Amino acid sequence: MTKKPVQFQLNGSPVAVFSDEGQNLLDLLRRGVGDLSPKYGCGQGTCGSCTVIIDGEPRLSCLTLAETVEGQHVETTNGLANGPDLHALQEAFMENFAAQCGYCTPGMLMAAKALLDRTPRPSRAEIVEAISGNICRCTGYEPIIDAILAASGQPTRRTG
Amino acid sequence: MAIHKGRGFACINYPIGMNLGGDPSQALVHSTPDGKFMVSLSSIDLGQGMKSVTRQIAAETLGVPVSDVYVDTADSDTGPHCMGSFASRGTHRVGNAVIRAATEARKALLEAAAEELEVNATDLETDGQGNIQVKGAPGRTITVADTAIAAQFKQGRTLSGRGIFLIPPSDVDPDTGEMTPVSCFAHAALVVDLEVDDETGEVSVTEINSAYEVGRALNPRLVEQQLIGGAWMGVSHALYETTEPYYPDRSHGPVDFNTYLMPGPGEVVNHNIAVLERPAEDAPFGGKGPGEMCANPVLPAIANAVYNAVGVRCDTLPITPEKVLRGILANGGARPQGAR
């Protein structure tokens, strides 16, 4: 199997790895780089748990050919916290009980970050649209929507 | 062609745990040399908050800050035996086991402190902030940390405890058939408001109002979150999810995530919850556990609301637009049952 060198920025740091022919980005991140924060859910682009941000856009890493991120900026949940300081979204997810089993959480966080990066104060409808590609089986979504509202400094359904 | 509003009601008595063959759980508690406490379980936290609740229970029983307690749910090789996280039994069964283990560990903690302070252990109390003091003499005090250090390096004593909670097996009375499979029940009532489109057969839930009696809510936000998430799952089972839509025929069934129907964040329903607290006598600090019952009453309430809206009685799940339309057709049109 042919190996292909890939260089890209991962959470602001340069990464140089060999990707296998046809390898997807999720597999490269998890097995090649050792970043386990994007999760393998369905492997067919339906559940959203593998969501990462590539050059500012939310992308399904399981459907992204690894070698196509050459020279691009990839963000994962691992890059959200700054040392001990959690990202505002992580704090809000905690405060609003937006995780139960936690499997969808990394994908939800990245979908939410991509939204807030371009729309700092999104409407509830914009939030619903932004996470509509991410499946959660525990929370009923309401606490996740609340968390994203809270992270953008807006009242939630709870705080009214 | 019209949109019909419907309202449906359902209530539930839900058993906490099931002891047909005996229903035990164990817990072990030990201190680290710096006075933190580790709770070892093989019970599983699958997102319901087992770790948070057992941590609170252990801290409350030990009389130490919750931040000084760690819960390790490890695995069944290294943890003490647990029947498992099912039947809504976690808080009740495991919580009781943790109380017993922590009570034994607290006894050892106070005995070690008594030796250091040269007093009787029965004269000691904890302040919940990490200190042990002589009752009525707050100046005579030792920290939990210093007690643990003394126990470990001077006294040669473990600050540890074992706990098991067992609901014994319940045999059937051969004459009457009577038995007691369950010792503790939780209760709920739930009202669903929805709309049915008699042209498409589509059902849209508009609001859920519920009242849950789950004993004392040991962690109110966790309870509320489980009730919201569980009700959503109930809506999903009632209206969307199936692997065999034409059971037992497998045709048109989903084969992967792409074709498995479930609601997304756009279908979130406003859900108002009232949590009623009636602490159960045999429950840890009165807490029973919401568990599975948070999904169950939603299904019959939706089925009743659909009947109320258009007069169609669906007795199989999910209640698909096709079933609603066929029902309306068989009735010769929508038959709203009127407001209740």
Side-chain angles (χ1 to χ4, degrees):
Chain A
M1 188 182 285
T2 318
K3 298 271 189 187
K4 187 161 182 156
V6 189
Q7 297 186 51
F8 59 99
Q9 297 282 320
L10 178 61
N11 298 319
S13 300
V15 168
V17 283
F18 287 100
S19 88
D20 292 329
E21 201 172 0
Q23 189 177 23
N24 64 49
L25 178 62
L26 176 63
D27 198 49
L28 182 80
L29 287 171
R30 290 181 60 86
R31 291 201 300 150
V33 183
D35 182 346
L36 300 177
S37 65
K39 302 299 177 199
Y40 181 99
C42 65
Q44 55 183 181
T46 309
C47 75
S49 65
C50 69
T51 304
V52 300
I53 299 177
I54 302 174
D55 282 353
E57 292 292 328
R59 289 278 181 260
L60 298 165
S61 61
C62 77
L63 293 187
T64 304
L65 198 58
E67 59 197 63
T68 62
V69 301
E70 174 73 31
Q72 296 185 317
H73 290 262
V74 178
E75 297 170 62
T76 67
T77 315
N78 258 1
L80 284 181
N82 181 13
D85 298 326
L86 294 180
H87 189 276
L89 274 166
Q90 291 171 306
E91 289 280 358
F93 267 59
M94 247 168 40
E95 291 297 321
N96 288 276
F97 286 66
Q100 280 192 37
C101 87
Y103 205 85
C104 74
T105 310
M108 287 287 182
L109 284 167
M110 298 322 284
K113 181 176 188 294
L115 170 68
L116 296 191
D117 283 350
R118 61 173 187 272
T119 312
R121 286 177 68 84
S123 68
R124 188 185 163 85
E126 286 173 316
I127 292 171
V128 166
E129 176 65 27
I131 63 169
S132 62
N134 296 67
I135 292 173
C136 170
R137 293 290 276 166
C138 304
T139 65
Y141 297 101
E142 190 67 54
I144 296 172
I145 297 168
D146 272 358
I148 299 169
L149 283 167
S152 55
Q154 303 184 80
T156 67
R157 184 163 287 188
R158 273 187 69 88
T159 62
Chain B
M1 299 298 166
I3 305 280
H4 302 275
K5 288 184 191 300
R7 172 171 286 185
F9 172 78
C11 54
I12 180 170
N13 295 325
Y14 198 79
I16 303 300
M18 200 181 78
N19 57 329
L20 295 174
D23 193 3
S25 279
Q26 288 188 36
L28 296 174
V29 173
H30 74 271
S31 84
T32 59
D34 58 351
K36 315 292 186 194
F37 285 85
M38 174 67 77
V39 181
S40 300
L41 308 169
S42 50
S43 321
I44 298 302
D45 190 330
L46 33 79
Q48 81 279 45
M50 170 76 81
K51 278 187 170 179
S52 303
V53 168
T54 49
R55 190 182 187 197
Q56 289 174 254
I57 290 171
E60 185 72 22
T61 309
L62 286 161
V64 302
V66 75
S67 55
D68 286 354
V69 176
Y70 303 88
V71 176
D72 180 12
T73 49
D75 61 41
S76 53
D77 278 345
T78 55
H81 177 258
C82 176
M83 286 296 279
S85 293
F86 63 89
S88 310
R89 65 188 290 287
T91 299
H92 188 268
R93 302 293 199 270
V94 183
N96 272 322
V98 168
I99 285 182
R100 292 174 184 196
T103 300
E104 191 172 296
R106 176 182 166 87
K107 186 164 178 283
L109 172 70
L110 295 185
E111 282 169 3
E115 194 168 322
E116 292 307 296
L117 293 170
E118 299 180 357
V119 296
N120 195 316
T122 55
D123 291 333
L124 293 176
E125 63 186 8
T126 47
D127 69 352
Q129 309 291 318
N131 301 299
I132 301 164
Q133 62 202 26
V134 178
K135 288 175 194 166
R140 298 285 306 279
T141 179
I142 184 171
T143 63
V144 171
D146 283 341
T147 306
I149 289 168
Q152 173 83 356
F153 296 104
K154 207 168 97 186
Q155 303 174 6
R157 183 203 298 266
T158 63
L159 307 184
S160 60
R162 307 150 297 166
I164 181 166
F165 185 73
L166 167 68
I167 300 276
S170 170
D171 292 328
V172 182
D173 185 308
D175 295 326
T176 63
E178 189 180 342
M179 63 184 305
T180 311
V182 168
S183 65
C184 180
F185 277 91
H187 316 277
L190 189 137
V191 177
V192 163
D193 286 295
L194 52 70
E195 293 174 347
V196 181
D197 184 328
D198 68 7
E199 188 172 9
T200 65
E202 203 174 347
V203 178
S204 309
V205 179
T206 49
E207 186 165 298
I208 301 174
N209 287 283
S210 67
Y212 277 84
E213 192 284 292
V214 291
R216 179 174 290 154
L218 300 182
N219 188 320
R221 289 292 300 275
L222 278 180
V223 169
E224 180 191 313
Q225 178 41 39
Q226 243 190 74
L227 296 179
I228 292 176
W232 172 86
M233 198 172 279
V235 172
S236 190
H237 284 310
L239 297 179
Y240 302 95
E241 293 184 43
T242 180
T243 50
E244 289 118 351
Y246 295 96
Y247 183 82
D249 188 345
R250 299 297 304 272
S251 59
H252 302 284
V255 292
D256 55 27
F257 270 117
N258 273 317
T259 48
Y260 189 77
L261 199 59
M262 34 188 167
E267 281 83 33
V268 167
V269 176
N270 190 30
H271 183 178
N272 305 306
I273 301 168
V275 174
L276 313 175
E277 296 188 291
R278 287 172 56 206
E281 269 180 31
D282 71 344
F285 300 106
K288 298 173 185 174
E292 295 171 29
M293 69 183 293
C294 53
N296 298 347
V298 183
L299 285 73
I302 286 180
N304 287 339
V306 168
Y307 178 76
N308 181 233
V310 291
V312 173
R313 179 56 76 188
C314 285
D315 56 5
T316 61
L317 296 169
I319 300 168
T320 58
E322 178 181 342
K323 290 176 190 171
V324 173
L325 281 183
R326 287 189 188 282
I328 290 174
L329 194 66
N331 286 346
R335 291 183 183 169
Q337 300 298 303
R340 298 187 172 183

